[in-house]
Amino acid sequence: MASRIVNVGLVQQRSQHDKGKNVAHACEGIAEAVRQGATLVVLPELFATDYFCQTEDPKFFEWAEPLDGPTIAQVAEVARDLQVVVVTPLFERRARGLYHNSLVVLGSDGAQLGAYRKMHIPEDPQFCEKFYFTPGSQGFSPIQTPGACLGTLICWDQWFPEAARAMALAGAEILVYPTAIGWMPSEKELLGDAQLDAWRTVQRSHAIANGTFVVAVNRVGREASSVGEVEFWGHSFVCDPMGRVIAEAGEQEQVIVVPCDLELITEQRHWWPFFRDRRIDSYDGLLERWIDVKGR
Amino acid sequence: MASRIVNVGLVQQRSQHDKGKNVAHACEGIAEAVRQGATLVVLPELFATDYFCQTEDPKFFEWAEPLDGPTIAQVAEVARDLQVVVVTPLFERRARGLYHNSLVVLGSDGAQLGAYRKMHIPEDPQFCEKFYFTPGSQGFSPIQTPGACLGTLICWDQWFPEAARAMALAGAEILVYPTAIGWMPSEKELLGDAQLDAWRTVQRSHAIANGTFVVAVNRVGREASSVGEVEFWGHSFVCDPMGRVIAEAGEQEQVIVVPCDLELITEQRHWWPFFRDRRIDSYDGLLERWIDVKGR
């Protein structure tokens, strides 16, 4: 069997509470990944700033930038200089009063290969994203890069099998999840391990069900706000099309580079041909909010 | 928080290569589960016979029975005598030349509460199910029992997040998977652990993504055919709505009874409200076989 290897770099980093420092630090991470052989690098969700969604405060809208703003320009320059593709998350200002939780895929010439706006927006205590982010309306279209077709999704999207499936059906070879997920101090002792394992498990299942690679890149570090703090748990990982975790980071800053042989996708789907057997004649219910049945 | 506990019995058994013996043995398993407190018992896929699908031979159609045939009648009598609900798989003869891989949910009065015909049919070497079984056309409707609303699915269905989601949207509290899955001797050393783990992982992910319990009941034992053998791997398990495995059998015959508190479903969905955030406006692609894009 031939191989088609893409070396994927994961830049797991903490916020230094300053956009300039964070972007510079991410650029150092990209360079480190390239030194290790990466041709595709993924940064964490909203890497340029603190995770400001712990509270609802309109002052944070000042941190947003357009898709062609200075942060993207700065990373694009690094992408071009180092000839590497970079999945670059961004707090996007699309118009006055219209903001998205987005990412741009920058090509190795610094040009934009495509963008994605987070489709599923969470809203929990200290994850008040519905206040800030308008849900994307572009749907689920993978972004083709020279090395691989990327199903780019963001954080909360990772809990929805629909998003992974839709990306795979449109040709995604690697599902990519920039992420900002962590423990609440009050829950960590009782639920921390189960939360981390559920997060890893549901993403591994997308690899299994779709015969794709999955790359999840999380933040690390504690970030405080006026209402408490979140401890971002790291554990960025890559799993293969059988759902096997082939590389996993710890809970500190880390740059890892993982060779992914995309030919494994074909092999896996030959043995587990789920696309052959999907009952598309019977999936109408998936477009419903709920199937109301008396008493349930 | 109030609790609503259902004690679920899993009867993991091997075939004794004789329908009379297998059905009698399953009835003993049901009785053992009831002694341990079960009010709902699940049997493995096609428990009454050998897993005949290793080869394609029309002689095996003789083993099929109608939904109101003698096997169901015999189990129904036990269900009534012991006042227990039994998920009872069956090789169903629906008409001359029309067969299904089915199950009947028998109530504690022996009456049929509902039936399910396997929707996703596999076809691999030694799992030649497309020769024998017409795919179900009834869709994904849970079956209400006094203790719980059951999303009854069968084996290969477990790899399809669509089936789990459709059942959950229609009110299923417990996803139930009678199963016949095993290792091929030629693959076990290299892939055995990964296959088992992928099987467990994808089903745990259905619990996580949908906030339901999952109950998987597999066969055990080696079964030979003219083309080789399959070693059914057991490892029947129950996981809670956070995907935590709360009970798991080994690789031998075993009857286990697991208390499932259905109130955990509400609690879990309050914290991880995926149903709130599904993008039903953007899931049309899930009804497609594939999204053709040039070059992918």
Side-chain angles (χ1 to χ4, degrees):
Chain A
M1 191 183 72
S3 10
R4 183 155 67 90
I5 303 225
V6 177
N7 289 313
V8 183
L10 292 72
V11 176
Q12 175 172 290
Q13 71 175 49
R14 71 176 62 241
S15 175
Q16 297 180 44
H17 319 306
D18 176 274
K19 193 191 275 188
K21 288 183 185 168
N22 284 346
V23 176
H25 192 43
C27 291
E28 292 164 8
I30 295 166
E32 170 58 26
V34 170
R35 275 192 292 276
Q36 293 181 34
T39 55
L40 166 65
V41 175
V42 182
L43 303 175
E45 184 183 13
L46 300 170
F47 74 96
T49 63
D50 278 359
Y51 184 75
F52 51 86
C53 312
Q54 290 194 55
T55 60
E56 301 187 351
D57 190 333
K59 76 181 180 197
F60 292 119
F61 288 119
E62 290 171 20
W63 290 0
E65 296 180 27
L67 287 183
D68 58 358
T71 292
I72 293 297
Q74 190 175 342
V75 179
E77 193 178 320
V78 172
R80 192 183 59 235
D81 288 350
L82 302 179
Q83 295 186 284
V84 61
V85 174
V86 184
V87 177
T88 313
L90 183 75
F91 179 20
E92 179 194 356
R93 183 178 65 238
R94 188 174 179 186
R96 285 173 289 185
L98 183 61
Y99 303 86
H100 295 286
N101 187 331
S102 304
L103 61 79
V104 174
V105 179
L106 296 165
S108 56
D109 59 355
Q112 297 196 13
L113 299 176
Y116 171 79
R117 294 173 172 135
K118 188 172 182 175
M119 290 287 289
H120 301 92
I121 308 293
E123 181 68 32
D124 299 312
Q126 292 173 253
F127 291 84
C128 306
E129 296 199 16
K130 288 194 194 293
F131 177 75
Y132 295 101
F133 308 127
T134 302
S137 50
Q138 79 289 332
F140 304 98
S141 297
I143 297 171
Q144 186 71 52
T145 75
C149 184
L150 305 182
T152 49
L153 296 160
I154 300 176
C155 202
W156 190 239
D157 290 326
Q158 63 211 171
W159 299 96
F160 296 82
E162 292 92 342
R165 180 70 98 199
M167 284 293 193
L169 288 173
E173 297 171 304
I174 306 178
L175 300 173
V176 179
Y177 294 99
T179 301
I181 194 169
W183 293 298
M184 314 288 274
S186 62
E187 294 177 351
K188 187 179 177 187
E189 188 178 341
L190 187 63
L191 290 173
D193 289 347
Q195 290 170 338
L196 170 59
D197 195 44
W199 175 77
R200 191 192 290 115
T201 298
V202 80
Q203 290 178 91
R204 290 177 58 212
S205 84
H206 303 328
I208 296 164
N210 295 291
T212 61
F213 285 84
V214 166
V215 174
V217 181
N218 193 18
R219 306 162 82 97
V220 288
R222 292 167 179 268
E223 295 185 29
S225 73
S226 60
V227 295
E229 67 166 27
V230 176
E231 180 183 353
F232 293 98
W233 68 45
H235 287 279
S236 301
F237 71 92
V238 177
C239 74
D240 76 7
M242 207 177 181
R244 290 176 286 205
V245 174
I246 55 177
E248 181 169 348
E251 296 173 13
Q252 301 301 321
E253 290 202 321
Q254 205 167 337
V255 174
I256 57 177
V257 175
V258 186
C260 299
D261 180 358
L262 302 186
E263 281 304 318
L264 290 177
I265 294 170
T266 307
E267 188 179 30
Q268 185 62 31
R269 290 181 183 175
H270 285 179
W271 283 109
W272 288 359
F274 306 132
F275 293 109
R276 181 191 67 190
D277 293 335
R278 294 178 68 241
R279 293 297 305 275
I280 55 173
D281 59 310
S282 300
Y283 292 164
D284 292 21
L286 301 177
L287 305 186
E288 300 293 326
R289 177 66 60 208
W290 191 255
I291 316 289
D292 293 296
V293 178
K294 194 165 169 287
R296 281 181 200 154
Chain B
M1 191 182 72
S3 22
R4 182 154 69 89
I5 303 225
V6 177
N7 289 313
V8 183
L10 291 72
V11 176
Q12 175 172 288
Q13 73 175 48
R14 72 177 59 243
S15 175
Q16 297 180 41
H17 319 305
D18 177 273
K19 193 192 276 188
K21 287 182 186 170
N22 284 347
V23 176
H25 192 43
C27 291
E28 292 163 8
I30 296 165
E32 171 56 28
V34 170
R35 276 191 291 276
Q36 293 181 35
T39 55
L40 166 66
V41 175
V42 182
L43 302 175
E45 184 182 16
L46 300 169
F47 75 95
T49 63
D50 278 0
Y51 183 74
F52 51 87
C53 312
Q54 291 196 53
T55 60
E56 301 188 351
D57 190 331
K59 77 181 178 197
F60 292 120
F61 289 120
E62 291 172 19
W63 290 359
E65 298 180 26
L67 288 182
D68 58 357
T71 293
I72 294 295
Q74 190 174 342
V75 178
E77 191 178 324
V78 171
R80 192 183 60 235
D81 287 350
L82 302 179
Q83 294 187 283
V84 61
V85 174
V86 184
V87 177
T88 314
L90 183 75
F91 180 20
E92 178 194 357
R93 183 176 67 238
R94 188 173 178 186
R96 284 173 290 184
L98 182 60
Y99 303 85
H100 295 285
N101 187 332
S102 305
L103 61 79
V104 175
V105 179
L106 296 165
S108 55
D109 59 355
Q112 297 196 13
L113 299 175
Y116 171 80
R117 293 171 171 138
K118 188 173 181 174
M119 290 287 290
H120 301 92
I121 307 293
E123 182 68 31
D124 300 311
Q126 290 174 255
F127 290 84
C128 307
E129 297 199 16
K130 288 193 194 294
F131 177 74
Y132 295 101
F133 307 126
T134 303
S137 50
Q138 79 290 331
F140 304 97
S141 297
I143 297 172
Q144 187 71 51
T145 75
C149 182
L150 305 182
T152 49
L153 295 159
I154 300 175
C155 203
W156 190 240
D157 291 325
Q158 61 211 171
W159 300 96
F160 297 82
E162 292 92 341
R165 181 69 99 200
M167 284 293 194
L169 288 173
E173 297 170 303
I174 305 177
L175 300 173
V176 177
Y177 294 99
T179 301
I181 194 168
W183 293 299
M184 315 287 275
S186 61
E187 295 177 351
K188 186 179 177 186
E189 188 177 341
L190 187 63
L191 291 173
D193 289 347
Q195 291 169 338
L196 170 59
D197 195 44
W199 175 78
R200 191 191 289 115
T201 298
V202 80
Q203 291 178 90
R204 290 178 56 212
S205 84
H206 303 328
I208 296 164
N210 295 291
T212 60
F213 284 84
V214 165
V215 174
V217 181
N218 193 18
R219 304 162 82 97
V220 289
R222 292 165 179 269
E223 295 185 29
S225 72
S226 60
V227 295
E229 66 166 26
V230 177
E231 181 184 353
F232 294 98
W233 67 44
H235 287 281
S236 302
F237 71 92
V238 177
C239 74
D240 75 8
M242 206 177 182
R244 290 176 287 205
V245 174
I246 54 176
E248 181 169 349
E251 295 173 11
Q252 301 302 320
E253 291 202 319
Q254 206 167 334
V255 174
I256 57 177
V257 175
V258 185
C260 299
D261 180 358
L262 302 186
E263 281 303 319
L264 290 177
I265 295 170
T266 307
E267 187 179 32
Q268 185 61 32
R269 291 181 183 176
H270 284 180
W271 284 109
W272 288 358
F274 306 133
F275 293 109
R276 181 192 66 190
D277 293 335
R278 293 178 69 243
R279 293 297 304 275
I280 55 175
D281 58 310
S282 299
Y283 292 163
D284 292 21
L286 301 177
L287 305 187
E288 301 293 327
R289 176 67 60 209
W290 191 255
I291 316 289
D292 292 297
V293 179
K294 193 165 171 288
R296 282 182 200 154

